[in-house]
Amino acid sequence: MKKVVSVFMTAILIAIPVTPAFALTNPDTVKEKAQEQASKIVSDYGASGLQYAIRDRGSIVLSGSAGVYDKATKSPITEDTMFGIGSVSKMYVSAATMMLADSKKIDIDKPLTTYIKDFKMADERYKEITPRMLMNHSSGLYGSHYANGFLFDDNDMKNHDELLVRLQSESLKSKPGEFSVYCNDGFQLLEILIERVSGLSYSKFLETYITEPLDLTSTKTPLDDFDRDELAKTYFPGFDQALPVENANLLGTGGLYSTAEEVSEFAEVLIGNRTDILSEKSAKAMQSHEYRKGIWVPEETNTMNYGLGWDAVRLAPFSDYGINALFKGGDTIMYHAALVTLPEYDITIAVLSSGGSSSSNVSFASNILLEYTKSKGIIKEILPDKTFKSPLKVDMPSDMQAFSGVYGTIGHTINLEIKNGEIELPSLAYGDVPPQKYVYTGDGQFKSNDGSATVSFDKQKNGKTYLKLNAYTTRPGLGQSVSTAYENQKLDANSLNRSTKSAWEHRNGKNYYAVNEKITSMSYLVPAFVIKNISVDLNHGYASGTKIVDKNKAVNVIQIPGANGRDAFDLNFYNKNHKEYLKIDGQSYISEDAIPTMNGGKDSLCIIPSDGQARWYKIDAKSANRVMNVETPVSGGFAVYDKNGMIVNFSKATNNHSVVLPEGGMIVFGGNAGDVFKINFEE
């Protein structure tokens, strides 16, 4: 019934502008552009299905979709199709936290230890962390514990249950409150805070105080009982069939499912229109410019400037029009979401997709909202994209040469050398800006060949020097976006003694393979999650972006405000049964040197040991190019990778238990302790 009413009302609104919301609109123009760009995201940006909704003054004025719910049946996406909303879930846990503040059950500026008594860390500064710092990403926590968080058809809360224990042995990357850097763990801690203070499970709290009062019948967590067939199907490149249901069991961080219409309804809470749920004062507080409180890139046109929960409280390009726009994006492994709202005009758009990315979704959302505000007379014209000229190189002052040196970001170091007023840099902005040369153009700036990207150097009050990027990037058919961010941090040289050098030289270029990840984990689809490659810079004393301390330990020294300093880690190596292991974020990885070779293509058994750890094997020439058939226990599964580490088959995703083994590749078997896999080969 809900679907029928919604379709009917949308048809009426589009045909006859009878509501105040549509008094000045040309709905056909907005509708056409929305459909055109939604189709573009499906055809060119990897989405199999996309859903969007605009809400104006509390009413849905446009609701649409593109792509399919299911490729096999070609059935369409409808307004009732559910999607994972990823990190847009952070807005729900942030609102829930502020609701507890409204009821005087917590003070967001008191130490977190006031409410979570068993929250402890190895770094004594943890006692300064407050709920506010969790919401504005300034807690100083390393970032994210993803282990066993994204599972196929499995709502095991292992990640949630083990977080406090894992944090006990960890340090902080900075003093709490010093600067903001995107941090998933903070919202996991908010989830625990809500449970401790309310006495309810987080899922029950949401149901009781948010989804039921708002009548959000399609907003659920993986722990809720609902029809999973309502979820849009997900797909992985190279696999023909739809994947099993994705459960993001990091509920506060990114675990909710919803629809575009219901996300836009929840936004009414966030902009202060549902004071029966969240006070207007708290909604306003969430929109505060929290990013100004610490070290940060100076306020400029940007796509990231944190509020409480919000990724941006001054989102470009709306700031160019004098419009205050709030933004939150979200990505799980398979689902993607964007929420943009204009609180002073009470207009919101939500865009959800299966496949694609939150970055393409926010481009879509911004474009359609601009078209909509133009149709309402809020803005006169949509500004054209910025144009650029090739830079004019000028003589560089000699003191700029001092910025040469070793720079690091999470996972990497680079040797930045300024030669004759030119810098060669690798890809920046998560790959949106390609590797290229930058030339000096004056005022401390170096520009790319087309003039769209500018790099400079900033020495901040924490004594650190940063490589700063200001870049405009264009997504064909979706338009232009801009970001200003610190990309790399200048590092001090770290001299190593001979024995330490020798230990790390042995690890350079080697892979380490996860042994604690459940076989239901979606991480097996993404090699970087289960295969860690160690890159050692012996000349400067760093390994995969961390500072080498001794033969077996390297620690994070990266303190980059913004997104590029997220998900820091330490490297800890240890030996067990004469095999070397690597521990990161409490997860263990076995060295490639300790992994046996498959048994020459002979029939055999693989048994999961009593500790439940996954078993890895190398594929040699004798086993390669032969068909391996596996009789797999219900609780077990296996994955096969080629020599480049790319997934070839993952039985939990494909239900395919027969595979041609690639030479030089790897196999991993996982399941419960004692699980037996019967393996046979075809000639």
Side-chain angles (χ1 to χ4, degrees):
M1 183 63 183
K2 175 182 171 185
K3 182 187 296 184
V4 173
V5 171
S6 178
V7 170
F8 176 74
M9 289 304 296
T10 300
I12 291 293
L13 290 170
I14 290 174
I16 307 171
V18 294
T19 69
F22 265 78
L24 298 174
T25 66
N26 180 353
D28 286 341
T29 301
V30 179
K31 183 181 179 183
E32 288 168 8
K33 183 163 187 175
Q35 198 56 47
E36 174 191 334
Q37 294 216 333
S39 298
K40 173 67 70 173
I41 290 177
V42 170
S43 62
D44 295 356
Y45 289 91
S48 58
L50 181 139
Q51 180 192 71
Y52 55 90
I54 298 177
R55 189 176 295 270
D56 189 340
R57 300 189 184 279
S59 299
I60 293 291
V61 294
L62 181 63
S63 183
S65 63
V68 294
Y69 156 82
D70 183 345
K71 289 183 178 180
T73 64
K74 300 191 185 311
S75 51
I77 300 289
T78 72
E79 67 269 25
D80 293 327
T81 303
M82 296 167 64
F83 295 77
I85 64 171
S87 286
V88 174
S89 304
K90 289 180 172 68
M91 298 312 304
Y92 294 71
V93 78
S94 297
T97 302
M98 299 303 287
M99 290 161 63
L100 292 179
D102 280 343
S103 61
K104 308 299 183 186
K105 292 181 179 178
I106 68 166
D107 181 333
I108 66 170
D109 292 310
K110 281 190 175 180
L112 185 62
T113 52
T114 307
Y115 311 107
I116 307 177
K117 303 293 186 184
D118 50 340
F119 169 53
K120 293 180 174 64
M121 297 185 71
D123 189 323
E124 284 296 305
R125 296 176 297 179
Y126 82 92
K127 296 174 184 176
E128 302 172 29
I129 297 173
T130 65
R132 179 188 296 275
M133 294 173 188
L134 301 179
M135 288 187 282
N136 68 20
H137 299 275
S138 71
S139 65
L141 294 166
Y142 268 22
S144 303
H145 286 79
Y146 292 121
N148 296 302
F150 299 89
L151 306 177
F152 280 132
D153 279 333
D154 183 349
N155 57 14
D156 184 351
M157 295 297 289
K158 182 181 178 74
N159 184 287
H160 168 279
D161 298 341
E162 293 181 350
L163 179 61
L164 292 176
V165 174
R166 292 181 185 272
L167 289 174
Q168 285 177 8
S169 61
E170 295 185 8
S171 187
L172 296 172
K173 70 175 69 169
S174 62
K175 176 180 169 61
E178 184 178 3
F179 60 84
S180 292
V181 52
Y182 200 87
C183 178
N184 283 313
D185 283 349
F187 295 83
Q188 290 285 84
L189 287 172
L190 289 174
E191 176 187 337
I192 294 171
L193 164 69
I194 289 161
E195 292 179 329
R196 296 290 178 86
V197 173
S198 71
L200 300 173
S201 71
Y202 180 62
S203 293
K204 189 64 177 177
F205 185 95
L206 289 182
E207 178 186 339
T208 304
Y209 296 106
I210 294 180
T211 61
E212 282 193 353
L214 289 172
D215 193 26
L216 304 181
T217 58
S218 296
T219 300
K220 304 291 183 180
T221 79
L223 300 182
D224 289 328
D225 182 20
F226 69 97
D227 184 359
R228 264 56 177 178
D229 284 338
E230 294 296 320
L231 290 165
K233 303 293 185 185
T234 60
Y235 299 87
F236 192 80
F239 294 174
D240 294 332
Q241 70 271 46
L243 298 174
V245 170
E246 176 190 78
N247 285 358
N249 295 318
L250 318 169
L251 306 186
T253 291
L256 298 192
Y257 308 109
S258 193
T259 67
E261 291 191 7
E262 290 201 357
V263 171
S264 71
E265 174 70 23
F266 173 68
E268 293 289 291
V269 173
L270 299 175
I271 59 178
N273 290 344
R274 288 298 302 263
T275 54
D276 56 320
I277 294 174
L278 180 69
S279 71
E280 185 176 359
K281 178 183 176 182
S282 286
K284 288 287 186 185
M286 293 176 71
Q287 301 169 31
S288 62
H289 291 215
E290 295 286 317
Y291 65 96
R292 292 176 175 170
K293 295 180 178 180
I295 298 168
W296 187 251
V297 177
E299 183 176 337
E300 299 173 51
T301 301
N302 213 345
T303 52
M304 188 163 287
N305 31 59
Y306 299 122
L308 295 180
W310 294 105
D311 287 346
V313 292
R314 189 176 180 271
L315 177 67
F318 297 94
S319 51
D320 293 340
Y321 299 84
I323 296 175
N324 181 43
L326 312 173
F327 162 63
K328 184 73 193 84
D331 300 276
T332 64
I333 293 178
M334 292 298 155
Y335 289 118
H336 310 277
L339 170 65
V340 180
T341 187
L342 314 180
E344 62 189 305
Y345 297 103
D346 199 357
I347 301 171
T348 295
I349 185 170
V351 184
L352 313 181
S353 67
S354 168
S357 69
S358 64
S359 57
S360 57
N361 288 359
V362 72
S363 294
F364 171 93
S366 297
N367 291 340
I368 304 311
L369 269 194
L370 286 175
E371 193 70 46
Y372 185 69
T373 53
K374 178 187 173 186
S375 72
K376 285 177 64 70
I378 295 171
I379 63 174
K380 291 183 178 179
E381 295 294 336
I382 296 175
L383 300 174
D385 285 348
K386 302 279 187 185
T387 57
F388 305 94
K389 296 179 180 178
S390 295
L392 177 64
K393 183 180 177 182
V394 301
D395 290 339
M396 185 187 76
S398 59
D399 59 359
M400 291 293 296
Q401 201 69 41
F403 289 112
S404 293
V406 60
Y407 283 72
T409 188
I410 301 299
H412 306 281
T413 55
I414 60 171
N415 188 29
L416 189 155
E417 191 173 2
I418 304 174
K419 286 184 178 179
N420 302 317
E422 299 180 355
I423 311 173
E424 290 277 355
L425 290 174
S427 63
L428 302 173
Y430 292 97
D432 283 347
V433 178
Q436 59 191 305
K437 179 174 67 177
Y438 297 77
V439 300
Y440 188 74
T441 57
D443 297 324
Q445 297 184 337
F446 298 77
K447 289 188 179 293
S448 62
N449 185 55
D450 66 359
S452 65
T454 302
V455 296
S456 57
F457 298 92
D458 244 0
K459 187 167 184 178
Q460 270 291 355
K461 57 187 177 182
N462 63 351
K464 309 294 183 185
T465 296
Y466 297 101
L467 176 73
K468 178 181 172 183
L469 171 72
N470 178 269
Y472 286 82
T473 56
T474 300
R475 293 182 175 86
L478 296 180
Q480 195 177 72
S481 62
V482 59
S483 66
T484 300
Y486 290 143
E487 288 282 329
N488 283 271
Q489 172 187 324
K490 192 173 186 185
L491 303 174
D492 298 325
N494 177 37
S495 61
L496 306 175
N497 61 42
R498 184 177 299 176
S499 62
T500 301
K501 269 189 176 182
S502 177
W504 285 90
E505 187 174 25
H506 174 72
R507 298 174 181 129
N508 187 31
K510 292 207 169 147
N511 288 330
Y512 291 74
Y513 296 83
V515 294
N516 299 132
E517 196 73 11
K518 294 188 69 174
I519 200 60
T520 53
S521 174
M522 299 178 68
S523 292
Y524 288 103
L525 290 174
V526 186
F529 285 167
V530 293
I531 306 174
K532 302 297 183 183
N533 179 263
I534 303 301
S535 175
V536 182
D537 179 356
L538 287 175
N539 292 329
H540 299 101
Y542 291 86
S544 298
T546 60
K547 183 178 181 178
I548 296 172
V549 174
D550 58 34
K551 292 180 182 180
N552 294 313
K553 186 176 181 65
V555 299
N556 173 69
V557 290
I558 301 299
Q559 297 184 0
I560 301 178
N564 293 301
R566 63 178 289 177
D567 298 343
F569 55 84
D570 299 332
L571 301 176
N572 295 279
F573 292 89
Y574 66 97
N575 280 278
K576 181 180 176 183
N577 299 327
H578 307 293
K579 299 175 182 178
E580 184 174 70
Y581 290 82
L582 165 64
K583 184 167 282 189
I584 301 176
D585 297 335
Q587 287 291 94
S588 290
Y589 301 78
I590 189 169
S591 169
E592 63 178 55
D593 293 341
I595 295 175
T597 300
M598 204 67 191
N599 61 351
K602 297 177 182 179
D603 293 355
S604 61
L605 299 178
C606 173
I607 303 174
I608 302 300
S610 59
D611 59 11
Q613 290 191 342
R615 298 191 64 180
W616 289 83
Y617 295 90
K618 297 172 183 174
I619 303 169
D620 65 4
K622 292 181 181 179
S623 301
N625 303 312
R626 299 183 67 186
V627 176
M628 180 183 75
N629 301 302
V630 183
E631 188 177 319
T632 308
V634 173
S635 56
F638 68 94
V640 178
Y641 301 87
D642 67 17
K643 64 181 179 181
N644 298 314
M646 300 307 295
I647 190 76
V648 173
N649 181 57
F650 178 25
S651 66
K652 284 294 185 183
T654 65
N655 202 32
N656 181 6
H657 299 269
S658 180
V659 61
V660 177
L661 297 183
E663 184 170 356
M666 302 290 292
I667 308 172
V668 58
F669 295 91
N672 295 335
D675 276 353
V676 177
F677 297 80
K678 296 180 180 180
I679 303 165
N680 68 77
F681 289 87
E682 295 179 17
E683 293 297 335

